[in-house]
Amino acid sequence: MPLNRRKFLEKSAVTGAGVALAGAVTAPGAQAAEARGGTKRGVKRYAFTVMGTTDLHGNVFNWDYFTDKEFDDKDHNDIGLAKISTLVNRIREEKGRRNTLLIDAGDTIQGTQLSYYYAKVDPITAEGGPVHPMAQAMNAMDYDAAALGNHEFNYGIPVLRKFEQQCRFPLLGANALDAKTLRPAFAPYSMHRLRTPFGRDVKVAVLGLTNPGIAIWDKANVQGKMTFPGLEEQAAKWVPKLRSMGADVVIVSAHSGSSGTSSYGDQLPYIENAAGLVAEQVPGIDAILVGHAHTEIPEYFVTNKKTGQQVVLSEPLKWGQRLTLFDFELVWAKGCWKVEKVGAKVLNSNTVEEDRKIVRLLSDEHEKVVAYVNQVIGTNAAEMTSAEAPYKDVAIIDLINHIQADTVKQALAGTEHASLPVLSQAACFSRSARIPAGEVTIRDVAGLYVFENTLEARLMTGAQMKAYLEFSANYFVQTAPGAQVDPAKLTNANGTPDYNYDVVSGLAYEIDIAEPAGSRVTNVRFEGQPLADDAKFVFAVNNYRANGGGNFPHVAASQLLWSNSDEIRNTMIAWVKAKGAVDPAEFAAVDWKLTRNGTPVF
């Protein structure tokens, strides 16, 4: 029996348990327990805890809107703010409300059909429009501050500004600058006072840093309006200011991974995943809440090169699967508070029930979105799934490319490039995507494209397409001839995510996995003939890739022929609605395959 959505929410409810100006001083809450402090041999000590989330991506409930059932994965993780709220309540009860802060490291308002619905279908920007569910939940949980993530900009600055207005806590971005004045477009930091038993408050500064990749990934939304310098540069500017303002503790909430790498190569002079570099290069930071990378880092220490200070980093797992706890121990010395010790750990949200307060607050919004995603928009002649998409040419990925190519052909009709052949790229965003035979719903189609990417048309040559395919083939683990092929171990070489493996429709080609990276793509053909280096093509490509995401060669520098502001997901939904019936026989073909010495692997 499928899980009933209303009973799911009722069960959860039964069993579950603002800063306007940059630098404004806030108190963390009124229902405080007695402060955590004491003296030992006349030494005054105080302890407090900072809780952190990141990459929530529109998840309030432990629910998957793409599959229309309770979320689960192979590790039996749970997701959503309703679960995190229960953990937060427990920590506040244990530590004392006044001895805690709750912060976030970004990517809040994009990622689920819940967040999409209130950005596009029933937008918060409409006159008399609704309050965003993420604002409602985070306000109810008494968040103290949140850094901006790159996906905050996906729906445009007006949606972000409305969300900012609806939040009773500041959205921080010290390196999100107004393009004309070069002044912060958002509050750079927030300052919080924690009351101690000794008459001297602890001043905790939270500095927010976002990702410079916004300038590439959301170029259409931010170009000419905002600019995004590097994290290290802006941290070096603001941390000394915060210390001079009397901050006893400085915490950075950074929507930036810790690895020191970038997914877009040299497209920008700034590092995408710079949190570790900030800790290493900028003195005066005590802890960094890390976001963006979607990895779990319970506790990681980086030594600052200038001071030798150990800076603790922690990244809780995405979507509300984990809650970070930074535990600080301070000592009063020479007329001020000093951090004596700080450590970090994460709590798993699958150990608790959902907070019934959050469930009651947003159950109506949840039901509206469930009804929306279950609208029938067409029929499908044969089931299509993405289970084997990372290593086989499957119909469900062909559908994405077919729709993209068809859309670009129609858009360029009557232009000077109308006669050029159209190629298209697509990646497997979810290995559990499925379009069943029979009725097709919005969620079936939306589940193929879980990102808010838009579509572009770029001019590419045959030689450039060969290089593009070769770069994409780095995704596979080199496997010697005769060696056993395990699909579970064949992909994601060097940590390459599924979304950075592109297949290209309109060409036929082979990928020899016995060869080293850089020498794998063979027998590339167009319309049955070897692909000529000087051949010209229109390339239907998503804006993330076209703007340098993944660091694929040539495409970011290629000529832009056309672009669309609507999400590819919406384009696909509209296409299926207009066609009414989908038949894989009309577009599915095996155009690429894995080989070893010319012999197909599958």
Side-chain angles (χ1 to χ4, degrees):
M1 287 288 290
L3 182 63
N4 180 280
R5 293 177 290 276
R6 177 62 69 180
K7 288 184 177 179
F8 162 76
L9 290 172
E10 290 172 350
K11 172 177 175 284
S12 297
V14 170
T15 58
V19 175
L21 298 175
V25 177
T26 63
Q31 301 109 355
E34 187 173 338
R36 295 157 66 201
T39 59
K40 184 177 181 182
R41 298 194 187 97
V43 178
K44 299 174 183 177
R45 299 183 184 277
Y46 174 70
F48 71 97
T49 296
V50 177
M51 298 173 282
T53 55
T54 192
D55 296 279
L56 294 169
H57 283 288
N59 286 285
V60 173
F61 298 117
N62 188 43
W63 192 264
D64 186 341
Y65 293 97
F66 295 123
T67 61
D68 198 28
K69 61 184 181 182
E70 191 170 358
F71 176 87
D72 194 23
D73 63 14
K74 62 182 178 63
D75 298 317
H76 303 297
N77 288 302
D78 287 347
I79 61 175
L81 273 175
K83 293 244 175 186
I84 292 295
S85 184
T86 300
L87 291 173
V88 167
N89 291 338
R90 289 186 178 183
I91 296 302
R92 284 173 173 162
E93 183 177 0
E94 175 188 340
K95 309 288 187 180
R97 175 66 180 87
R98 289 182 187 242
N99 306 312
T100 63
L101 294 173
L102 176 60
I103 65 175
D104 183 80
D107 276 6
T108 303
I109 59 171
Q110 174 278 336
T112 64
Q113 287 293 281
L114 180 73
S115 54
Y116 176 81
Y117 186 88
Y118 288 98
K120 291 290 189 177
V121 182
D122 185 10
I124 62 174
T125 49
E127 186 175 352
V131 177
H132 199 289
M134 294 301 287
Q136 292 190 58
M138 295 174 80
N139 287 340
M141 293 170 63
D142 290 326
Y143 268 80
D144 293 287
L148 294 165
N150 55 285
H151 284 289
E152 258 68 81
F153 293 84
N154 285 172
Y155 297 119
I157 293 174
V159 170
L160 175 54
R161 287 301 190 191
K162 187 64 176 181
F163 176 70
E164 181 187 27
Q165 292 172 13
Q166 294 177 342
C167 292
R168 295 199 298 263
F169 53 90
L171 299 183
L172 307 178
N175 63 327
L177 308 182
D178 182 278
K180 294 180 180 179
T181 66
L182 297 183
R183 294 178 177 176
F186 296 84
Y189 64 91
S190 57
M191 194 77 79
H192 310 266
R193 289 185 180 273
L194 301 180
R195 188 172 301 169
T196 75
F198 309 109
R200 169 65 157 83
D201 294 345
V202 172
K203 292 180 68 175
V204 181
V206 179
L207 178 67
L209 297 170
T210 192
N211 205 289
I214 295 166
I216 285 180
W217 304 321
D218 271 299
K219 183 178 180 180
N221 291 327
V222 302
Q223 188 173 34
K225 300 173 183 177
M226 293 186 190
T227 185
F228 303 87
L231 284 82
E232 309 99 305
E233 168 193 323
Q234 293 301 301
K237 172 183 176 179
W238 284 101
V239 171
K241 289 185 179 182
L242 296 174
R243 290 292 183 181
S244 69
M245 292 167 58
D248 301 297
V249 178
V250 174
I251 300 168
V252 173
S253 183
H255 193 75
S256 181
S258 62
S259 65
T261 62
S262 290
S263 67
Y264 49 83
D266 59 0
Q267 296 298 314
L268 273 182
Y270 308 119
I271 299 297
E272 175 184 355
N273 296 303
L277 296 176
V278 170
E280 185 179 80
Q281 297 177 14
V282 180
I285 298 170
D286 297 295
I288 300 180
L289 178 65
V290 179
H292 184 62
H294 288 203
T295 58
E296 182 176 344
I297 305 174
E299 181 183 62
Y300 174 54
F301 287 95
V302 173
T303 302
N304 185 270
K305 286 186 174 181
K306 295 182 180 179
T307 65
Q309 177 187 353
Q310 291 286 291
V311 183
V312 64
L313 282 66
S314 180
E315 182 176 4
L317 199 57
K318 64 185 186 297
W319 304 347
Q321 295 179 63
R322 304 288 187 272
L323 175 70
T324 278
L325 301 183
F326 290 107
D327 288 314
F328 287 86
E329 296 180 16
L330 276 61
V331 61
W332 181 262
K334 297 182 180 179
C336 63
W337 289 107
K338 299 289 187 183
V339 175
E340 187 175 53
K341 182 181 179 182
V342 57
K345 63 182 178 182
V346 296
L347 302 181
N348 194 330
S349 66
N350 72 4
T351 62
V352 297
E353 299 293 340
E354 293 187 320
D355 183 348
R356 58 186 178 184
K357 179 178 74 172
I358 304 300
V359 172
R360 285 196 303 264
L361 181 67
L362 292 166
S363 60
D364 287 344
E365 285 83 347
H366 172 78
E367 289 294 341
K368 284 182 183 178
V369 175
V370 166
Y372 163 74
V373 299
N374 280 287
Q375 292 179 46
V376 175
I377 57 174
T379 61
N380 177 34
E383 181 184 54
M384 295 180 282
T385 76
S386 63
E388 297 180 321
Y391 49 89
K392 288 185 180 180
D393 190 343
V394 297
I396 203 166
I397 305 299
D398 291 341
L399 175 62
I400 299 174
N401 275 326
H402 180 69
I403 294 173
Q404 291 182 163
D406 189 45
T407 301
V408 167
K409 286 175 185 176
Q410 292 182 42
L412 294 180
T415 72
E416 63 177 305
H417 299 101
S419 62
L420 290 179
V422 178
L423 311 179
S424 178
Q425 63 79 223
C428 176
F429 294 145
S430 169
R431 298 194 185 198
S432 60
R434 172 180 173 268
I435 297 183
E439 292 185 337
V440 177
T441 65
I442 285 177
R443 68 176 174 84
D444 293 327
V445 178
L448 293 183
Y449 221 103
V450 299
F451 296 111
E452 319 309 309
N453 294 338
T454 57
L455 188 60
E456 297 187 7
R458 297 282 184 137
L459 185 65
M460 298 278 280
T461 67
Q464 290 173 335
M465 290 309 307
K466 289 177 185 177
Y468 191 98
L469 292 173
E470 193 66 68
F471 183 88
S472 187
N474 294 342
Y475 171 73
F476 295 101
V477 175
Q478 186 175 8
T479 309
Q484 183 178 358
V485 176
D486 180 358
K489 299 178 180 178
L490 180 60
T491 62
N492 308 102
N494 300 313
T496 304
D498 290 347
Y499 64 75
N500 272 345
Y501 170 60
D502 285 359
V503 301
V504 173
S505 70
L507 299 175
Y509 57 96
E510 299 174 7
I511 300 174
D512 192 331
I513 60 173
E515 295 297 324
S519 306
R520 290 176 171 172
V521 177
T522 63
N523 199 25
V524 185
R525 307 179 80 80
F526 173 67
E527 294 183 342
Q529 300 300 315
L531 178 63
D533 286 348
D534 61 352
K536 291 185 177 180
F537 298 95
V538 174
F539 191 32
V541 59
N542 71 56
N543 68 307
Y544 171 78
R545 188 70 78 234
N547 288 326
N551 200 28
F552 278 62
H554 303 302
V555 65
S558 63
Q559 182 182 348
L560 175 65
L561 306 179
W562 172 84
S563 65
N564 186 11
S565 62
D566 205 9
E567 291 90 350
I568 292 171
R569 177 163 59 203
N570 273 353
T571 300
M572 293 170 61
I573 291 169
W575 189 91
V576 173
K577 275 185 177 179
K579 191 170 179 63
V582 176
D583 186 355
E586 296 179 1
F587 55 81
V590 178
D591 293 322
W592 67 273
K593 57 189 174 182
L594 301 183
T595 63
R596 285 186 295 187
N597 292 337
T599 302
V601 175
F602 298 106

